[in-house]
Amino acid sequence: GQQVMQIPQYQHVQEGEDFTTYCNSSTTLSNIQWYKQRPGGHPVFLIQLVKSGEVKKQKRLTFQFGEAKKNSSLHITATQTTDVGTYFCAGPTGGSTLGRLYFGRGTQLTVWP
Amino acid sequence: SAVISQKPSRDICQRGTSLTIQCQVDSQVTMMFWYRQQPGQSLTLIATANQGSEATYESGFVIDKFPISRPNLTFSTLTVSNMSPEDSSIYLCSAGDSPGQSPLHFGNGTRLTVT
């Protein structure tokens, strides 16, 4: 079955500190996607990584896809209170032909002002 | 990106009853999915809603409990049947052109409480 592991489950930081969440898969992924869910909201797509070793940046957010395409990370530099929410990685498992996307358990980020 | 309208946004239902959740997409999409999310938890895929054919269910979910319809490329329904308190959760509709390969868009969810 699907195996997309994500750590840590919770992270509390003071505003201005950095934050990183990690995602690992037991199988090689064709791609990995990252979503953000604000409290009380629904998941919103942030980015997709496809290539081995790929690094993408969105302002203070840096996304990385591992060389073996089995792990990924999201790093936020100098967190702000607007970064509060749960960050999910998601990926299709190897061999899936129906395009199903499986989500990690998420990392809930709290930012103290 | 697709805009997804889901209703009801929330409901409180009695045990043993059924609730049908509707999902409308503002454009034709290839694939639609239904997820369940317990408070503070991750998203669990219930099934893929297939247009014109029976839905494809994930392990642990069955058609008798969660019948799904998808009569066209922009609309789907999920019914939670014979509800019990364990069915209390947020149910999310999602859509995409090639999910697993392209982004998923989500509806605002239906917060279901079963008493």
Side-chain angles (χ1 to χ4, degrees), chain A residues 26-43:
Chain A
S26 57
T27 60
T28 301
L29 300 171
S30 59
N31 71 88
I32 195 159
Q33 301 177 22
W34 286 91
Y35 292 77
K36 177 183 179 181
Q37 185 175 26
R38 295 182 184 275
H42 60 274

Side-chain angles (χ1 to χ4, degrees), chain A residues 40, chain B residues 6-13 19-21 89-91 108-113:
Chain B
Q6 190 174 333
K7 60 180 181 181
S9 59
R10 60 178 63 230
D11 207 341
I12 301 172
C13 301
L19 175 72
T20 295
I21 303 168
S89 188
I90 298 171
Y91 292 84
N108 289 331
T110 297
R111 183 179 294 272
L112 171 63
T113 302

Side-chain angles (χ1 to χ4, degrees), chain B residues 75-92:
Chain B
F75 185 78
S76 178
T77 66
L78 167 73
T79 298
V80 186
S81 303
N82 189 25
M83 289 183 284
S84 66
E86 292 71 35
D87 295 320
S88 296
S89 188
I90 298 171
Y91 292 84
L92 290 156

Side-chain angles (χ1 to χ4, degrees), chain A residues 2, chain B residues 36 44-47 56-66 87:
Chain A
Q2 68 212 45
Chain B
R36 183 171 72 182
T44 300
L45 181 61
I46 297 173
T56 305
Y57 290 85
E58 297 296 306
S59 175
F61 298 95
V62 295
I63 187 172
D64 289 345
K65 177 66 177 178
F66 297 101
D87 295 320

